[in-house]
Amino acid sequence: MSGRPRQNGPAQAKALQFKLVLLGESAVGKSSLVLRFVKGQFHEYQETTIGAAFLTQTVTVDGVTVKFEIWDTAGQERYHSLAPMYYRGAQAAIIVYDITNRDTFERAKSWVKELDRQARKDIVIALAGNKFDLSNKRMVEVEEGSAYAQEHNLIFMETSAKTGDNVSNVFVEIAKMLPKVEPKPNNNGQTVRIDDNQEAQNGGGPGCCSKN
Amino acid sequence: MKLEKEEYGFDWPPSFDKDTHWRYTHKRKLTDLERVAEWDALNGNYERSEALKKLVRKGVPRKYRVDVWLSISSAGQNMLENKGLYNNLTARCAQKETTDNMKDTSGECVIDVIRRDLLRTFPENPSFKEPVMLNNMQDILSAFCLHRPEIGYCQGLNFIVGTLLLATQSKDGELLPEECFWLLVALVDILPDYHSNKMTCLNNDCLVLNDLIRKTVPQTHSVVSLFGLPLQMFVTKWFVCLFVDVLPFHTVLHVWDTLFYEGNKILFRVAVYEFVLHKKELKKLQDPSGLAMFFRNLFWDNKAWDDFEYMQKVFKKTRKLKRKYIEHKRITKASETEV
Ligand SMILES: Nc1nc2c(ncn2[C@@H]2O[C@H](COP(=O)(O)OP(=O)(O)O)[C@@H](O)[C@H]2O)c(=O)[nH]1
Ligand SMILES: [Mg+2]
């Protein structure tokens, strides 16, 4: 089975499309991160995701527009068997844990291992320690997350879907790592712009420690 | 002007302007009057018959729904034969010795998992901010875990229990938790094993649906398969939540009327009809992203707001679908995936 050819040939110089999947234990904030990134909103009570939800959002990095096709998955263990359907062929993944809950960090590690084995070899993975705003209840130290990420060659950030800290940065960092058909050689124009997103000014908030 | 919520406390679709809204409520009032008169005439006699089946297909009026659901499913009988069991289960769920042993597959205490989903069930509906609603939801889901440990808690059951509580709530707001518990048990028994640990039956039924679509609405199937995405990516929720959060709330209840009476084949009929109904839109889709958006936006599609008309069409357009065929497909699909 092969997909219909994408309509973004070099002639059109249209947005590059990338499939991105969110993985992680239930209630770590996957849906909230997506909602923040796509709509700039946060809901204290975010509806439980059943199966998976689909959203899109574009970012412009160094003059190249990248469209993310985002699959936000269900977190409960029994939905695990559905996950491969969503990460199959994905060019990027965000694995999310909740910094106030150790078990979710362990679960995140097992996702990293699973993607290493089963996803595309060139998949770009980001590890996000979410709920940074609750860092007074932290159970996983920043150093621990970042060391694990470094060891496994992952982008790493602590994020808060609630305040917006680092949320768009995760996507931007991923976008930077993705292969561009027409690479723009000028690296000086660091004009990272996030479309339709109130959080654009939000820069590297506290707890940001992107690798590279 | 923002319209107030619909009768169950949900938002109207954003596309509803004042006119559409008025026309819809007006028409609904008329159909409801008609339905109620027909059910009044039954005098509480819900014995199975062709006539009753026909009536159920037209939708059970809100005021009769609890009684009808209890008597056309196994729930009423079970509740009578197991007097006190529900209270006993909830009492045990309040004891630490019991809950310590109730683990989700992740190893976490299942009560905690349930509790976390309470406020994540219909958050836009004001009823689901009320402590009594949330407490009852927790009680029913926990009792169910104890009663059916092989299933336990599956995300999605929170929406099913929430739907049962709302649907059976009396006019003055009284909730019927024990009835809802038995209705939940009845529903799970009507379904193949969708909600249990590995969800294998769920995956299997998605594959069956895929074949059904290919056979009955081939034009749309070829579009979907052209993108190389398994249908299952989009329809999992349809089966797990029995169309809750996929179709308008009152239409879901109408689907459930027939689900309780006729069994799980109705899920396939509704699912196939969704493809028939949206044939044109589906054929126009250009890429996988459009396809995914299409499924996401189904909920806000006005075509299912008139539940009466919608369900009449479901039955008309899918009348060739035979239970035998589904059962046969279930077996062949299951053996294919085993290899
Ligand atoms: N304090 C805080 N709460 C969050 C954050 N992100 C999500 N939440 C809350 O955590 C709960 C679960 O979030 P959700 O996005 O549904 O998690 P998911 O199951 O991984 O999709 C919700 O009640 C959110 O409001 C965050 O960054 N900070
Ligand atoms: Mg979610």
Side-chain angles (χ1 to χ4, degrees):
Chain A
M1 295 204 290
S2 72
R4 173 183 285 193
R6 293 262 161 81
Q7 296 167 322
N8 54 356
Q12 297 176 16
K14 288 250 302 211
L16 299 166
Q17 300 181 31
F18 293 105
K19 179 176 164 186
L20 180 150
V21 63
L22 276 105
L23 300 166
E25 181 64 83
S26 172
V28 295
K30 297 179 295 298
S31 303
S32 301
L33 285 171
V34 177
L35 184 70
R36 172 62 78 186
F37 175 57
V38 173
K39 298 205 175 131
Q41 298 171 353
F42 176 74
H43 296 160
E44 199 62 46
Y45 304 111
Q46 173 64 38
E47 199 164 83
T48 318
T49 311
I50 308 299
F54 178 84
L55 290 105
T56 62
Q57 176 65 303
T58 50
V59 298
T60 306
V61 180
D62 301 338
V64 180
T65 305
V66 169
K67 180 179 176 196
F68 283 115
E69 299 173 352
I70 306 166
W71 281 102
D72 168 27
T73 63
Q76 198 185 16
E77 174 62 33
R78 67 184 71 197
Y79 284 90
H80 195 143
S81 64
L82 304 185
M85 205 159 55
Y86 298 102
Y87 65 65
R88 188 176 303 139
Q91 287 105 329
I94 303 178
I95 297 174
V96 187
Y97 66 94
D98 170 354
I99 62 161
T100 71
N101 181 333
R102 245 215 110 78
D103 291 343
T104 67
F105 183 55
E106 299 307 320
R107 183 78 193 281
K109 290 181 186 170
S110 74
W111 278 118
V112 174
K113 289 198 192 96
E114 177 163 342
L115 290 188
D116 275 346
R117 276 199 319 272
Q118 317 228 39
R120 280 168 66 126
K121 288 294 155 242
D122 59 351
I123 189 169
V124 175
I125 303 176
L127 181 67
N130 191 41
K131 309 201 185 179
F132 173 74
D133 56 293
L134 302 177
S135 51
N136 55 337
K137 293 193 209 147
R138 164 193 296 285
M139 302 297 282
V140 183
E141 294 305 322
V142 196
E143 294 76 22
E144 206 177 342
S146 105
Y148 182 83
Q150 200 127 50
E151 196 183 317
H152 292 81
N153 214 22
L154 319 170
I155 295 167
F156 175 72
M157 280 184 208
E158 288 197 341
T159 57
S160 169
K162 186 167 181 170
T163 63
D165 274 327
N166 266 340
V167 176
S168 38
N169 284 346
V170 177
F171 289 87
V172 169
E173 287 307 316
I174 291 174
K176 284 184 188 162
M177 305 278 288
L178 288 166
K180 316 289 189 299
V181 176
E182 296 174 297
K184 295 253 161 143
N186 66 326
N187 278 338
N188 53 343
Q190 286 275 341
T191 45
V192 176
R193 206 185 84 236
I194 313 299
D195 292 340
D196 309 322
N197 191 330
Q198 291 96 305
E199 297 312 302
Q201 326 85 313
N202 216 320
C208 163
C209 37
S210 150
K211 138 199 129 96
N212 40 301
Chain B
M1 188 195 83
K2 200 162 162 32
L3 300 162
E4 86 271 34
K5 309 252 178 179
E6 55 78 271
E7 59 174 317
Y8 289 98
F10 291 94
D11 293 330
W12 292 97
S15 59
F16 265 37
D17 56 20
K18 234 179 144 184
D19 264 8
T20 332
H21 176 260
W22 189 85
R23 246 182 297 122
Y24 167 78
T25 20
H26 184 70
K27 182 160 176 224
R28 186 169 174 82
K29 265 193 198 129
L30 292 179
T31 359
D32 269 354
L33 278 178
E34 234 172 79
R35 287 191 243 196
V36 169
E38 286 178 307
W39 285 86
D40 281 344
L42 290 180
N43 267 321
N45 174 12
Y46 307 131
E47 225 163 287
R48 292 184 81 83
S49 68
E50 267 311 302
L52 186 66
K53 180 173 161 183
K54 273 213 182 101
L55 271 190
V56 172
R57 285 190 171 192
K58 286 160 91 178
V60 182
R62 186 169 178 175
K63 72 171 195 184
Y64 285 117
R65 206 161 240 145
V66 203
D67 292 342
V68 173
W69 281 3
L70 286 169
S71 56
I72 63 179
S73 73
S74 58
Q77 186 75 14
N78 271 336
M79 189 163 101
L80 262 178
E81 285 170 8
N82 298 282
K83 260 209 160 87
L85 179 63
Y86 175 69
N87 287 333
N88 178 293
L89 289 167
T90 49
R92 280 168 61 202
C93 287
Q95 291 164 348
K96 202 175 167 310
E97 309 88 82
T98 314
T99 54
D100 277 351
N101 293 316
M102 292 169 70
K103 298 271 196 272
D104 193 19
T105 31
S106 62
E108 193 178 358
C109 174
V110 77
I111 310 279
D112 293 335
V113 180
I114 290 170
R115 213 174 273 144
R116 221 171 28 220
D117 277 351
L118 295 177
L119 282 161
R120 306 211 292 147
T121 311
F122 302 131
E124 84 281 15
N125 189 314
S127 293
F128 289 84
K129 298 266 183 289
E130 310 268 345
V132 9
M133 178 65 92
L134 302 176
N135 290 339
N136 277 306
M137 232 168 83
Q138 178 176 333
D139 285 351
I140 296 168
L141 287 166
S142 315
F144 182 79
C145 286
L146 209 52
H147 186 58
R148 287 291 175 83
E150 77 285 2
I151 296 176
Y153 175 63
C154 173
Q155 286 189 324
L157 291 180
N158 55 329
F159 291 104
I160 290 182
V161 169
T163 301
L164 287 170
L165 280 165
L166 266 190
T168 58
Q169 188 174 26
S170 71
K171 252 200 164 133
D172 48 22
E174 194 201 349
L175 296 173
L176 301 173
E178 185 175 6
E179 282 80 358
C180 289
F181 171 79
W182 288 109
L183 286 169
L184 171 66
V185 174
L187 269 181
V188 169
D189 285 342
I190 287 171
L191 302 174
D193 215 1
Y194 288 161
H195 300 92
S196 73
N197 221 336
K198 290 268 184 308
M199 306 187 104
T200 36
C201 290
L202 171 74
N203 301 348
N204 203 52
D205 270 11
C206 290
L207 295 173
V208 172
L209 177 63
N210 185 51
D211 277 20
L212 269 178
I213 306 285
R214 177 157 51 209
K215 186 172 158 226
T216 51
V217 212
Q219 313 93 311
T220 66
H221 185 270
S222 55
V223 175
V224 175
S225 58
L226 193 65
F227 303 140
L229 302 176
L231 196 61
Q232 194 180 356
M233 287 174 84
F234 311 102
V235 300
T236 296
K237 187 169 180 178
W238 298 11
F239 288 107
V240 171
C241 293
L242 310 172
F243 293 103
V244 176
D245 222 21
V246 175
L247 295 173
F249 193 77
H250 59 274
T251 308
V252 172
L253 299 184
H254 194 150
V255 173
W256 287 21
D257 292 338
T258 60
L259 177 65
F260 277 121
Y261 195 93
E262 301 183 38
N264 64 52
K265 189 179 106 179
I266 186 68
L267 300 177
F268 288 100
R269 297 186 81 152
V270 174
V272 168
Y273 180 61
E274 278 295 311
F275 284 82
V276 175
L277 183 62
H278 296 100
K279 212 187 304 186
K280 272 207 196 106
E281 291 102 303
L282 277 161
K283 283 197 316 206
K284 271 194 230 139
L285 295 174
Q286 294 290 318
D287 53 22
S289 168
L291 182 67
M293 289 304 242
F294 165 79
F295 281 104
R296 202 191 77 189
N297 294 330
L298 265 190
F299 184 80
W300 298 117
D301 184 292
N302 294 345
K303 288 181 182 144
W305 271 82
D306 186 338
D307 62 293
F308 181 76
E309 212 179 283
Y310 179 84
M311 289 304 282
Q312 297 303 103
K313 290 219 182 104
V314 166
F315 288 110
K316 197 164 149 225
K317 296 285 181 188
T318 66
R319 67 180 177 279
K320 290 199 192 119
L321 191 56
K322 296 283 174 274
R323 177 168 297 139
K324 275 248 163 61
Y325 179 82
I326 292 171
E327 277 159 12
H328 167 75
K329 274 283 167 196
R330 275 181 174 148
I331 295 168
T332 48
K333 286 286 142 195
S335 60
E336 274 172 38
T337 30
E338 251 168 48
V339 209

